[in-house]
Amino acid sequence: MPNANVTHLQSLSFQEAIAFTQTWLEQVAAQQLTDAEILTQMQAVLSHRDGVRGFFVSYLTGNSPLADQVPEIFLEGFTQVAEHIYEILVKNVAMSTAMAIAHRRNGDFTQQQGSERVKTRSLNLLQQLEQRNLAVFKNERLRLLQTLEAGSGDYQDFLERWQYDPEQCEAIRMSLQSI
């Protein structure tokens, strides 16, 4: 895997991207990859929609400490592919915030904790990327905030598709404002 074919990584399915990322995170943590390999492989996986989705499912929900203490090389990689990841990162904040509430209501405290963890990781990453003056992340976060505050806008379809109720929308708004 350290010499993973870039072309192959650019065409991974959603499930393949999840599996790749799990193994890849273990290799990064074990220092089996050079910084150049990390960046090249990140760029390849995060160059297409299924790769982005699979990467972040694995990265944000898994047990890797690299998601809690984001390595500088990851921040550099995320910066290089900002145009591919800004929307999903903002949506991850929204979805994990809303799901934590849904799980709490259902009495599923284990799932609630998992959603809270994803929310914390997503917010942390979003904040670090915004601090690098990456306007695309801040602009996307503000687009969702504006929709929540106005009751209509660019994210209205997203909010309606997931049927977020007023409590969930308020929690999302508060999460996004915490940055």
Side-chain angles (χ1 to χ4, degrees):
M1 188 93 50
N3 295 317
N5 181 304
V6 170
T7 303
H8 173 70
L9 295 178
Q10 292 172 327
S11 61
L12 293 176
S13 70
F14 174 64
Q15 292 297 330
E16 290 170 335
I18 291 171
F20 167 81
T21 303
Q22 290 169 341
T23 302
W24 182 82
L25 287 168
E26 291 169 7
Q27 292 175 333
V28 173
Q31 299 180 341
Q32 296 174 346
L33 301 174
T34 67
D35 284 355
E37 289 171 325
I38 291 169
L39 288 175
T40 299
Q41 292 173 9
M42 276 184 88
Q43 287 176 321
V45 172
L46 297 174
S47 69
H48 61 101
R49 183 171 169 76
D50 282 342
V52 170
R53 290 176 54 240
F55 179 91
F56 280 107
V57 163
S58 188
Y59 181 63
L60 296 172
T61 65
N63 293 321
S64 176
L66 300 174
D68 296 311
Q69 297 292 322
V70 183
E72 179 61 32
I73 194 70
F74 281 25
L75 292 172
E76 186 177 328
F78 292 140
T79 298
Q80 292 176 8
V81 295
E83 71 276 3
H84 296 291
I85 67 170
Y86 69 90
E87 183 180 8
I88 199 163
L89 196 52
V90 170
K91 286 181 176 179
N92 271 318
V93 171
M95 296 176 87
S96 58
T97 300
M99 286 309 299
I101 292 169
H103 292 313
R104 183 197 74 218
R105 290 175 182 164
N106 293 330
D108 190 340
F109 300 111
T110 301
Q111 289 289 342
Q112 179 186 354
Q113 286 178 329
S115 291
E116 292 285 352
R117 184 179 188 189
V118 171
K119 177 183 85 170
T120 300
R121 287 174 166 181
S122 298
L123 280 168
N124 176 46
L125 183 54
L126 189 58
Q127 182 173 23
Q128 288 185 64
L129 291 169
E130 280 192 29
Q131 287 173 348
R132 290 175 165 249
N133 293 320
L134 293 170
V136 67
F137 292 99
K138 183 176 183 176
N139 293 342
E140 194 69 13
R141 180 175 60 86
L142 293 176
R143 285 179 57 218
L144 178 49
L145 268 172
Q146 290 167 349
T147 300
L148 289 163
E149 291 170 357
S152 65
D154 296 337
Y155 269 91
Q156 196 59 38
D157 288 344
F158 168 77
L159 297 171
E160 289 174 4
R161 181 177 342 115
W162 294 106
Q163 300 176 349
Y164 295 141
D165 63 33
E167 180 187 7
Q168 290 170 313
C169 287
E170 178 61 14
I172 293 167
R173 187 185 65 75
M174 289 174 57
S175 289
L176 293 170
Q177 285 182 331
S178 71
I179 294 179

